Amino acid sequence: MLKWMGRYMPSRMFLRQKPDPLGRELKTVCDGPTVVCFRMEPVENAGLMKEKEFYAEYGTTTATTLGLMKLFFGSGRVCLGESWFGSAKTCCALLERGVYSVLNVNTAHRGYPKAALQRFLAGEPEQPGVAVCLLGEASVRKSPTQTKATAHREPAGVPLCLVSSCFTTQPGVTMKYMVKHPSDTTHLLAKQIPVDETTQMYRSKCSIVD
């Protein structure tokens, strides 16, 4: 967010969850290892968003993501995106342009088997770290490419749903999560939980710049 300083600011908005909730929202793409910001896209009103490149074909969210990643088309780099960016449509659109991705899918789950993943996960042991995966093929221009939809049971109980065009479902490392203490709800307890390779990559980088 660009903090509002009391003067005119186009497309000013209020987002309660932000450290500075009142201001101009920006969508950014940053390099994971160095945290260098390559590009920023301001969130515009609906009329201006319709004028952006890729909007006519994909709509606001995927068009914004493609605009941010245009510099890397054909590079084979990996885009990690939180839930605002995450959808099966965006994953396929990036893949068609030579960019791999691991994206968090929350509300934009058209074409994504979220309900099926949750049903499968419900049949697995009730413990954090359990994951299920479904494989499919993305519609890409060059050749059919396998994509993955995974759901990883988080300590809070809400599954982390990812769509990805790279990495595997092989076991990754154990990662540290802060969970509620079983007998003292005022304190958190550090717990090591196993994750698969795809979840490991997303969790290790997704919060660097947010």
Side-chain angles (χ1 to χ4, degrees):
M1 295 288 286
L2 295 178
K3 185 178 180 180
W4 185 56
M5 303 300 290
R7 299 178 181 178
Y8 173 73
M9 177 181 281
S11 302
R12 188 172 73 241
M13 61 183 63
F14 182 82
L15 298 175
R16 189 181 301 276
Q17 71 274 20
K18 299 293 185 180
D20 294 311
L22 182 61
R24 184 77 181 271
E25 185 182 14
L26 301 173
K27 301 299 181 184
T28 62
V29 58
C30 302
D31 180 62
T34 63
V35 204
V36 171
C37 181
F38 288 111
R39 188 167 181 175
M40 296 182 289
E41 287 275 349
V43 176
E44 308 281 7
N45 60 52
L48 291 176
M49 289 300 294
K50 291 179 180 180
E51 298 176 6
K52 288 184 176 290
E53 188 179 7
F54 307 113
Y55 177 88
E57 185 176 0
Y58 293 106
T60 300
T61 304
T62 300
T64 300
T65 308
L66 292 176
L68 288 168
M69 293 299 296
K70 189 175 180 179
L71 177 66
F72 304 104
F73 285 178
S75 67
R77 296 193 69 169
V78 179
C79 171
L80 303 179
E82 49 94 11
S83 60
W84 190 90
F85 302 92
S87 69
K89 178 172 67 174
T90 302
C91 182
C92 292
L94 287 169
L95 192 57
E96 289 177 351
R97 291 162 176 79
V99 178
Y100 297 103
S101 61
V102 180
L103 307 173
N104 182 358
V105 179
N106 187 5
T107 56
H109 48 79
R110 177 178 294 182
Y112 181 84
K114 186 173 182 178
L117 287 169
Q118 291 176 334
R119 286 197 304 271
F120 286 130
L121 198 60
E124 296 294 328
E126 288 288 338
Q127 62 186 39
V130 173
V132 294
C133 176
L134 293 175
L135 303 178
E137 288 187 345
S139 299
V140 294
R141 295 190 180 110
K142 294 182 179 179
S143 61
T145 303
Q146 197 173 69
T147 58
K148 297 180 294 298
T150 61
H152 179 269
R153 181 174 285 130
E154 302 284 279
V158 179
L160 171 65
C161 294
L162 301 174
V163 59
S164 61
S165 55
C166 54
F167 300 109
T168 72
T169 55
Q170 295 296 315
V173 300
T174 57
M175 301 191 73
K176 184 172 75 171
Y177 285 78
M178 302 305 294
V179 299
K180 290 183 179 180
H181 197 285
S183 58
D184 184 357
T185 56
T186 61
H187 292 82
L188 296 176
L189 181 68
K191 189 173 183 179
Q192 296 290 334
I193 296 175
V195 298
D196 59 274
E197 190 181 79
T198 305
T199 303
Q200 174 191 338
M201 175 53 64
Y202 178 79
R203 278 297 186 201
S204 65
K205 303 294 185 184
C206 69
S207 62
I208 289 177
V209 296
D210 192 6

